[in-house]
Amino acid sequence: MFKRVLCFFVCWIFVVSNCVYAIEHDDDLFKPVEIKEGMSLSVLDCVANAFKHSPKIKRKKYNLDVAKSNVGIARAQYFPVIGAGAGFYNENNSDNIYYNTHYRELPNLGVTINKMIWDFGRTTAYIKMEEFYKLGAEYEFMDSLCSTLFDVKAKYYSLLRAKALVQVAQNNVEINENFVKLAKKTPDLKTAEFQLSEAKINLIETKNNYLNSKVDLSNSMYLDNPPNFDIQNTRTFDFDNYYAYNSMKEPQKFVGYEFSFPRDKATEMAYDNSPDLQILISSKKAMEQSLLYIKRTYFPELSAGAGYGFVNSNQSSNNNFQVGVNLNSSVNLMELRHSIKGADAQVKLADNEITLFKKDLYYEVRRAFNNFDKAEREIPTAQMAAKQALETLKLVEEKYKSNELNYIALQDARKDYIHSVQEYIESLYNYNLALIQVEMAMHYHIVDIHHKTEHAMCYHSEEIINHLNEVLNCDEKEVKPNKKSKRKPDAL
């Protein structure tokens, strides 16, 4: 059931959106590189290593194993119960002289088999309930991959921002060093030296923030003793010390990201893609089967049994064979009445949670697009402000040299310049964070993760824990067994 539903879901998403943002080569997500000293990592490298090392993903796999086991236990209700026993009996009567002074049974054998034939759908409802819970566990496994990807990307862009801010702080130190040389009066010199000291302290703090951001990214990849590595810029965060004090290097004109789907379809796509919503729906269906199971508890259970026994005593031997069919039913009507009420309330509660989640998801998508649009509008303005602030700083510096402006104007121009470049960096960070929020709300760019997860669970269940990346990257053809061939059922 899970396989058919998910295959339809994946096919529909591919029709709606065949453009994958920020993961243009999604196979790379499942090809982790060994991180070595001095390497420059891409966001794909970081995500791939997180997939390989994440204990959270393994936790969901273990939960999936538990759910799979519960389905097996439910299905076992239809299997027969076999009993067997063997023994001997020996008796000596010391108060009898002639009769029954000694009695012995050797051997004493017995074999029985009992099987439930039909319980009017009660066990069927029990099995369906556990299968829906298993389906929810499968979606939770997928969601663990999605959550890991989003967490790594957020930490990645935080590190890019921290790296850019270090460049700005270094520029600030260079500017203040130059101002010390330009200072013409004692008060100006003292102020310049003080501002230089402040800039150096700020550089130390900024570098420390950069190191902490790198630790956060390493932690999201679950690396033990990570080597010193660098990260690469992305298309949407391509800051390379632009508007530096000693160079007029400018970025190219910003081109925003174009979504490959109409925005009026975004909410429906979010409903279809969300693993959390699918988990809630599966839980509700499981509760409906639980309610059905409870309602059927008062139906009788039809069972059949057969047994064979053999007793060989010192007086006689006896063989016996028993066959029986039983129809039993026992129910506490008052307990059943309240159990049905409770189960019905659980179903209504689950249905209400689905409605609530859809409403929250609808507003989450709207909010994510609002933030995205705002961040996209800010970047060109921030670029222009940074360029103008640098030009103003150069102009004020020349006027200070010619005694047309005082030192206060020079320092104000420096502060405006530093603030403008920092705002430009923040606008790039906010834009990428807003784009991540859209992706998180819609799950639209990780379709192949869903497909690969389904393939891995169906064909490589036992290998997932030790070789997660290898089985997710498996490109072997999925061959459906024909009816004549005998194959073990899918492990999951």
Side-chain angles (χ1 to χ4, degrees), residues 244-283:
Y245 177 66
N246 292 323
S247 69
M248 287 295 292
K249 184 167 61 172
E250 297 182 33
Q252 297 180 353
K253 183 180 178 181
F254 177 76
V255 179
Y257 174 72
E258 293 292 334
F259 293 101
S260 60
F261 54 85
R263 289 201 182 186
D264 57 354
K265 300 293 184 182
T267 302
E268 290 301 322
M269 289 178 62
Y271 290 162
D272 292 329
N273 293 2
S274 173
D276 292 328
L277 181 58
Q278 301 306 320
I279 291 168
L280 289 175
I281 293 174
S282 297
S283 298

Side-chain angles (χ1 to χ4, degrees), residues 48 115 147 158 182 187 192 255 277 459:
K115 185 181 185 306
S147 299
S158 293
L182 294 178
V255 179
L277 181 58
Y459 294 91

Side-chain angles (χ1 to χ4, degrees), residues 51-317:
F51 281 176
K52 181 178 181 180
H53 301 113
S54 175
K56 293 182 180 179
I57 295 177
K58 293 183 179 181
R59 176 199 297 165
K60 295 302 180 182
K61 174 55 174 62
Y62 293 138
N63 290 338
L64 186 55
D65 288 341
V66 173
K68 178 183 67 175
S69 176
N70 290 337
V71 172
I73 293 173
R75 289 175 177 172
Q77 304 301 311
Y78 282 118
F79 282 75
V81 179
I82 300 175
F88 73 94
Y89 179 77
N90 184 76
E91 180 181 340
N92 290 313
N93 295 319
S94 59
D95 57 346
N96 289 336
I97 300 176
Y98 300 108
Y99 183 68
N100 286 339
T101 57
H102 178 234
Y103 179 77
R104 181 200 67 209
E105 291 181 2
L106 182 67
N108 187 341
L109 302 175
V111 179
T112 61
I113 181 170
N114 293 281
K115 185 181 185 306
M116 187 270 292
I117 299 176
W118 183 242
D119 59 359
F120 299 89
R122 187 164 66 243
T123 298
T124 302
Y126 176 38
I127 294 173
K128 288 182 178 180
M129 177 184 67
E130 294 297 340
E131 285 179 342
F132 281 122
Y133 280 135
K134 189 193 91 170
L135 181 60
E138 290 171 341
Y139 278 113
E140 285 185 350
F141 178 75
M142 291 180 188
D143 194 40
S144 67
L145 293 175
C146 301
S147 299
T148 299
L149 183 144
F150 293 136
D151 180 61
V152 171
K153 287 184 68 175
K155 302 292 176 53
Y156 190 93
Y157 282 106
S158 293
L159 183 56
L160 282 178
R161 177 182 61 172
K163 179 181 177 181
L165 290 176
V166 169
Q167 294 175 338
V168 176
Q170 290 173 338
N171 285 331
N172 192 28
V173 171
E174 292 176 6
I175 294 172
N176 282 283
E177 288 175 344
N178 188 48
F179 283 5
V180 170
K181 298 176 182 178
L182 294 178
K184 298 178 179 180
K185 301 177 183 179
T186 302
D188 294 353
L189 179 60
K190 293 296 183 184
T191 303
E193 290 174 345
F194 171 76
Q195 294 294 341
L196 176 59
S197 299
E198 262 197 349
K200 290 180 177 179
I201 292 174
N202 181 67
L203 177 59
I204 294 173
E205 183 178 354
T206 306
K207 287 182 176 180
N208 186 66
N209 292 337
Y210 169 76
L211 293 176
N212 286 339
S213 296
K214 183 177 286 188
V215 170
D216 291 339
L217 180 59
S218 299
N219 187 29
S220 67
M221 293 187 284
Y222 300 95
L223 300 178
D224 296 328
N225 301 317
N228 184 28
F229 61 87
D230 195 9
I231 59 174
Q232 303 169 9
N233 288 340
T234 66
R235 182 176 66 83
T236 53
F237 198 115
D238 192 22
F239 186 85
D240 188 17
N241 203 17
Y242 295 127
Y243 307 113
Y245 177 66
N246 292 323
S247 69
M248 287 295 292
K249 184 167 61 172
E250 297 182 33
Q252 297 180 353
K253 183 180 178 181
F254 177 76
V255 179
Y257 174 72
E258 293 292 334
F259 293 101
S260 60
F261 54 85
R263 289 201 182 186
D264 57 354
K265 300 293 184 182
T267 302
E268 290 301 322
M269 289 178 62
Y271 290 162
D272 292 329
N273 293 2
S274 173
D276 292 328
L277 181 58
Q278 301 306 320
I279 291 168
L280 289 175
I281 293 174
S282 297
S283 298
K284 177 195 171 184
K285 291 180 179 179
M287 291 176 182
E288 289 174 344
Q289 295 300 320
S290 176
L291 173 61
L292 190 61
Y293 176 84
I294 293 173
K295 287 181 177 179
R296 290 174 175 173
T297 54
Y298 66 89
F299 283 110
E301 178 182 309
L302 180 64
S303 62
Y308 169 76
F310 173 67
V311 177
N312 181 28
S313 70
N314 58 351
Q315 298 178 1
S316 64
S317 297

